[in-house]
Amino acid sequence: MNRNSTKYALGCLKVFLLLVVAYLAFACVACLVPDKPVQEHIYQSVHQGDLQEDYPRAVLPKKQCQMDNFTDALILNQAYRCSKDSLLVSMLEVWRATDRCAYVDVLRNETEGRVESTCPYPRYWHGSTFLMRIMLLFTNYTSIRMLMFVVSMLLLLWAAYGFAKAANPLLALLMVLSLAVMNVHVMMFSIQFFPVLALALIGVVLVCRLHDDSRRLTVALFVIGSLTAYFDLLTTPLITLGIPLCCLFAIKSSIGTVGWTRQLLLGAETGFMWAVGYGATWIGKWLIAGALTRFNAVEDAVGQVAVRSSGLDDYSRLDAVMKNLDFMPWQYLIITLVVLAVMMLVRGWSGRWRSSLLLLLVSLIPIGWFLFAANHSYEHWWFTYRELMISIMALLFAVGILVATPKQKEPSASI
């Protein structure tokens, strides 16, 4: 390892340690905020607000638009309970109620002092719980949902504008379309789904700004991977990698300053650093919780990984893939691809087929995830299917870059 590589690795380690300290500090601050306004706002949310059932459907009456109020209520329940345990237990074990009924009803019972049983939930960082506890100081769930929607829309506009400038408007339109056909509006109103959407869009913004600086870009995706592990409860984590990666390849292809082999190496390095940030943050939580609390978080986490990545006797890993693919909006995808093909015939094609191959590789990322996390992908297919945002975006970009006019001629590069 040369001196520059050593310096880079040490820099990433420093960033990671700073992130862990920040995560613990944030959790500490959240657990120390006054209880009364938090609990009052949660009471309003469950008794007077729109948190009335576990699985309502947003805008369209179809399974693909199902909300996850069950987990939102669980997150609010954890925020409600933070003061019932010691500071260290509240930060690292994050207990929740386990009464056997709809979780919105569990939360209602919590606010009325009628919870019968509880358990720790230490394998996640629960960044969303701590963020909500701070926000609940000021307002209730209904207002928080509206705020998440506004933030999501602003991030989407920012990402689309930046991508249109860095690549071209046609690809920016395809990016927005890829999100829309996968019912992204559901994610904008859900505590459970919002963090990964926000991080994916922030990742696009960072790619648009840093695509010419590979070191800073890979560090940025390392941080995005870590933040994904901090906030997400295993919903659609890979979109925080896959969507920025699609945009990176599209930008590199549009400006034509980097050959496809260098694009491949940059994509591999970026993906590796995201994975290191994501994995190290998960493992870090297990080790910290195991060392500082009475609960064996490492054993619990390893057991859950084994369960979530397994298949059961009544279905296979392929069944998990097919169940998620059933939710693909095939009609919209085919229509869009036909329109792009017609445009290519009319206008001619750019000849950037090698870059299209890279995007086709990216489109396979969700399939690999479904095969790995077979149990989780099969049981929770009604939200894990949104990992396929990556596939749709990659497929549309693969054809879109053949249609769109490059900003300058792509240099020749050997395979």
Side-chain angles (χ1 to χ4, degrees):
M1 183 179 289
N2 60 40
R3 181 176 299 178
N4 287 337
S5 298
T6 302
K7 183 178 179 181
Y8 175 67
L10 290 175
C12 290
L13 178 60
K14 181 179 178 181
V15 169
F16 176 71
L17 293 176
L18 288 174
L19 284 170
V20 171
V21 170
Y23 296 157
L24 293 172
F26 186 68
C28 180
V29 170
C31 291
L32 291 175
V33 302
D35 272 337
K36 186 175 181 181
V38 172
Q39 295 182 351
E40 286 178 351
H41 285 130
I42 293 176
Y43 184 91
Q44 291 173 14
S45 301
V46 74
H47 289 273
Q48 302 163 13
D50 57 356
L51 190 62
Q52 299 300 321
E53 57 179 300
D54 279 355
Y55 299 114
R57 296 180 182 182
V59 182
L60 300 175
K62 57 182 183 177
K63 188 72 172 178
Q64 293 94 321
C65 293
Q66 183 168 291
M67 303 286 290
D68 192 7
N69 287 1
F70 176 98
T71 307
D72 280 9
L74 185 153
I75 291 169
L76 295 183
N77 175 249
Q78 291 175 154
Y80 191 97
R81 294 193 61 81
C82 276
S83 63
K84 298 182 182 294
D85 298 297
S86 68
L87 178 60
L88 202 59
V89 167
S90 296
M91 289 171 53
L92 298 177
E93 292 189 10
V94 197
W95 284 61
R96 61 188 175 95
T98 56
D99 294 6
R100 291 185 176 276
C101 56
Y103 214 91
V104 170
D105 293 334
V106 172
L107 182 60
R108 184 177 290 108
N109 291 342
E110 180 76 78
T111 63
E112 296 172 353
R114 294 188 285 110
V115 166
E116 297 178 0
S117 59
T118 59
C119 73
Y121 205 8
R123 59 183 176 273
Y124 296 103
W125 277 96
H126 295 290
S128 293
T129 294
F130 302 127
L131 177 61
M132 287 305 110
R133 184 166 168 85
I134 290 174
M135 295 182 70
L136 286 162
L137 272 174
F138 309 102
T139 190
N140 59 25
Y141 176 72
T142 302
S143 298
I144 289 172
R145 289 177 72 180
M146 287 305 302
L147 180 59
M148 290 189 298
F149 173 74
V150 171
V151 171
S152 298
M153 289 302 299
L154 290 175
L155 285 174
L156 180 58
L157 291 172
W158 188 11
Y161 175 73
F163 187 50
K165 289 183 63 179
N168 62 64
L170 173 62
L171 294 179
L173 178 62
L174 294 177
M175 181 190 77
V176 175
L177 179 63
S178 302
L179 302 179
V181 297
M182 297 299 276
N183 307 296
V184 72
H185 67 280
V186 176
M187 302 179 75
M188 295 178 173
F189 288 104
S190 173
I191 299 172
Q192 159 84 324
F193 302 139
F194 167 76
V196 288
L197 174 62
L199 288 170
L201 294 173
I202 290 170
V204 173
V205 173
L206 292 173
V207 164
C208 293
R209 291 175 174 267
L210 302 175
H211 61 85
D212 280 332
D213 189 338
S214 61
R215 281 297 169 90
R216 291 178 66 194
L217 177 63
T218 53
V219 172
L221 266 294
F222 172 82
V223 173
I224 292 287
S226 179
L227 289 169
T228 301
Y230 184 69
F231 284 104
D232 185 45
L233 298 179
L234 208 61
T235 57
T236 52
L238 292 186
I239 70 170
T240 68
L241 167 64
I243 290 177
L245 202 56
C246 285
C247 293
L248 175 62
F249 286 150
I251 291 170
K252 290 298 186 183
S253 177
S254 294
I255 62 178
T257 57
V258 177
W260 85 283
T261 50
R262 288 181 60 192
Q263 289 183 46
L264 177 61
L265 292 174
L266 177 59
E269 183 181 0
T270 301
F272 174 76
M273 291 304 296
W274 181 94
V276 170
Y278 184 72
T281 303
W282 270 98
I283 294 171
K285 171 60 195 297
W286 306 339
L287 295 176
I288 292 170
L292 299 181
T293 70
R294 60 184 180 270
F295 193 84
N296 191 337
V298 175
E299 181 180 351
D300 173 67
V302 171
Q304 283 298 314
V305 169
V307 169
R308 293 305 187 186
S309 62
S310 68
L312 298 180
D313 292 338
D314 55 347
Y315 67 85
S316 66
R317 294 183 186 276
L318 183 58
D319 290 331
V321 173
M322 296 308 297
K323 198 167 187 180
N324 282 269
L325 287 175
D326 282 344
F327 273 6
M328 276 280 279
W330 295 107
Q331 66 275 30
Y332 299 114
L333 179 60
I334 292 170
I335 290 171
T336 306
L337 290 174
V338 169
V339 170
L340 290 172
V342 171
M343 290 175 63
M344 186 167 57
L345 290 173
V346 172
R347 299 178 55 183
W349 74 308
S350 67
R352 291 170 290 171
W353 61 270
R354 292 186 179 91
S355 296
S356 293
L357 291 179
L358 295 179
L359 285 160
L360 292 178
L361 287 176
V362 175
S363 73
L364 299 176
I365 290 175
I367 306 302
W369 177 256
F370 298 149
L371 289 170
F372 168 72
N375 172 275
H376 184 262
S377 300
Y378 188 89
E379 298 293 337
H380 301 292
W381 84 101
W382 55 272
F383 64 75
T384 61
Y385 83 95
R386 289 195 184 89
E387 297 281 15
L388 292 166
M389 284 180 180
I390 302 167
S391 301
I392 292 178
M393 191 175 296
L395 291 172
L396 294 184
F397 283 4
V399 180
I401 62 174
L402 299 177
V403 177
T405 303
K407 294 187 175 181
Q408 62 188 70
K409 186 177 179 181
E410 185 174 356
S412 60
S414 59
I415 297 177

